[in-house]
Amino acid sequence: MVRKDGILHRAIKVYWMNYSMGRSITLSSDFISKTAGTLQNSSEILPDQPHISSVVSRQVKSAMHIILQDEIRNLFRDLEGEWSSKNRKAFALCLCTNLIVCMLIEQIQADIDALVLYKICEEGQDATRTHESGMKACRALEDVAMHYSWTLFNKVQKSYNPVKNGCPADNGSGQNEGEAALVKDIRQLMDDHSM
Amino acid sequence: MNEYEFEYNGSGFTVEASSAPFPHSMTLRVHELLSTNQDSFLAFDFTSQSDNPMEGFSSIPTLPYGLDKLGTSLLNHKCLQYINTISKFSFDAGVTIVGDTSEIVWKTLGAIQRYQQANPGMQQASIHF
């Protein structure tokens, strides 16, 4: 069984796993400079290009994809249990995890945009239908994952919202200094970005 | 060998592979691959796109390397180790924003990390994959 405080760690790992999936897998230049001359296909290697192997990239991302699917499922399973907690201590944990889920969804939506472009430009699929399909997938992510997570969060935390009302560490609310600092940071971010 | 198959050439080499601009990598043993279909080694050049996104990308040749069956079987473990490592990246104030991460995402991740560090119980927590 995953401990309550493991949920946030899992969310952070899911975020960076998805981040890595959207980037190139680059190989170290030391190795390439030492061995390029010994390759039968060394003419393919150009020194001014990033050191990438499309085959290694596919192999690594396939492995990450399998792990990511499991971890996303496990994350929502564990988070669902945590959302229903009436414990005020769960507030900060759920707030952090919900924020990471939002950032994750934003990443996936950017990936969907790239996929739409690929299907139109490289596969020649119908632009209007492919664009609509991408929009539908992005909306579904917001309606299901994002809206659902915040609805549950706000429902449970209806009478207790330190982000809105403030949360000094010593007001007897049950929050510790770390949680109070988190609330302060998030409120500052909202102010800085006019939210 | 058909066009969808590879042959391994040589006994393999060790490379450091990284998927993001972090100062961390995973060590992999790769082999040079031989194929009758050189398209297998092509990748899109995302720096080649013009101002019009509908024009698509050009393709560039990439290194003809790949993992063998043994290497592939170890990949899950290596990927998990790698993700564990980059997940501990420090978001201290003053550290340059990594890659294309936006400022608000960077600051939010920093706030979450400071919250984790302020709660010793969370520091010791672990997830069993």
Side-chain angles (χ1 to χ4, degrees):
Chain A
M1 183 179 170
V2 177
R3 285 162 50 175
K4 180 193 281 190
D5 48 8
I7 293 169
L8 188 50
H9 288 254
R10 193 190 293 283
I12 290 168
K13 284 175 187 174
V14 165
Y15 177 83
W16 287 119
M17 225 182 292
N18 191 71
Y19 179 95
S20 299
M21 292 275 290
R23 270 75 188 170
S24 298
I25 307 287
T26 53
L27 306 181
S28 69
S29 56
D30 279 358
F31 166 76
I32 293 156
S33 60
K34 282 178 190 168
T35 60
T38 68
L39 295 172
Q40 289 195 13
N41 290 326
S42 57
S43 62
E44 299 288 327
I45 303 166
L46 302 175
D48 59 340
Q49 288 173 351
H51 300 141
I52 295 168
S53 161
S54 57
V55 177
V56 173
S57 290
R58 283 198 294 272
Q59 289 175 312
V60 170
K61 289 182 181 183
S62 294
M64 279 199 185
H65 177 73
I66 293 167
I67 300 166
L68 186 61
Q69 297 306 301
D70 282 347
E71 286 310 307
I72 287 178
R73 257 193 304 272
N74 292 338
L75 174 65
F76 277 96
R77 180 202 62 201
D78 296 338
L79 193 52
E80 196 141 13
E82 200 56 43
W83 277 322
S84 61
S85 170
K86 300 286 184 187
N87 185 346
R88 282 185 174 184
K89 289 275 183 185
F91 172 84
L93 193 61
C94 289
L95 173 66
C96 290
T97 312
N98 274 15
L99 287 171
I100 291 172
V101 168
C102 287
M103 294 186 289
L104 180 66
I105 287 171
E106 188 188 29
Q107 271 188 5
I108 296 171
Q109 287 177 329
D111 295 340
I112 289 172
D113 287 344
L115 184 63
V116 165
L117 269 182
Y118 172 82
K119 284 183 175 292
I120 295 169
C121 299
E122 303 297 332
E123 293 185 350
Q125 292 195 8
D126 178 74
T128 307
R129 287 179 60 183
T130 309
H131 181 68
E132 280 175 2
S133 174
M135 290 286 285
K136 197 175 167 187
C138 288
R139 269 200 304 270
L141 279 168
E142 287 180 11
D143 289 346
V144 179
M146 201 184 291
H147 181 71
Y148 180 62
S149 63
W150 286 109
T151 300
L152 278 177
F153 177 79
N154 289 326
K155 189 179 166 190
V156 172
Q157 305 293 342
K158 193 163 49 179
S159 59
Y160 180 70
N161 191 339
V163 173
K164 191 177 172 187
N165 305 318
C167 169
D170 58 355
N171 72 347
S173 67
Q175 300 287 337
N176 66 25
E177 283 183 15
E179 289 158 348
L182 170 73
V183 168
K184 189 181 167 196
D185 281 346
I186 299 299
R187 281 165 63 98
Q188 185 64 51
L189 265 172
M190 291 169 73
D191 284 346
D192 292 347
H193 293 269
S194 306
M195 292 177 180
Chain B
M1 176 167 60
N2 68 40
E3 63 175 323
Y4 300 109
E5 287 178 335
F6 297 111
E7 271 183 13
Y8 297 103
N9 184 39
S11 57
F13 310 90
T14 300
V15 294
E16 295 297 321
S18 173
S19 63
F22 292 110
H24 305 291
S25 59
M26 54 184 145
T27 305
L28 303 174
R29 188 162 188 84
V30 299
H31 297 259
E32 183 189 1
L33 300 177
L34 306 177
S35 172
T36 56
N37 179 10
Q38 293 303 307
D39 287 354
S40 307
F41 304 124
L42 294 179
F44 288 117
D45 178 8
F46 294 110
T47 62
S48 70
Q49 199 177 21
S50 69
D51 291 338
N52 179 5
M54 304 308 283
E55 283 183 10
F57 304 99
S58 60
S59 293
I60 52 169
T62 69
L63 295 163
Y65 298 144
L67 284 80
D68 62 10
K69 273 189 178 176
L70 176 63
T72 308
S73 69
L74 299 172
L75 253 186
N76 275 21
H77 180 65
K78 287 187 182 258
C79 285
L80 279 174
Q81 278 185 322
Y82 178 70
I83 294 297
N84 276 329
T85 306
I86 64 170
S87 297
K88 290 171 188 160
F89 185 81
S90 174
F91 293 91
D92 291 343
V95 175
T96 309
I97 293 173
V98 166
D100 52 4
T101 306
S102 67
E103 186 185 355
I104 190 167
V105 168
W106 186 261
K107 286 183 175 175
T108 305
L109 288 168
I112 292 169
Q113 189 172 67
R114 283 191 291 279
Y115 165 67
Q116 276 187 298
Q117 288 167 347
N119 287 272
M122 301 194 67
Q123 288 281 72
Q124 294 160 9
S126 62
I127 298 171
H128 302 288
F129 286 97

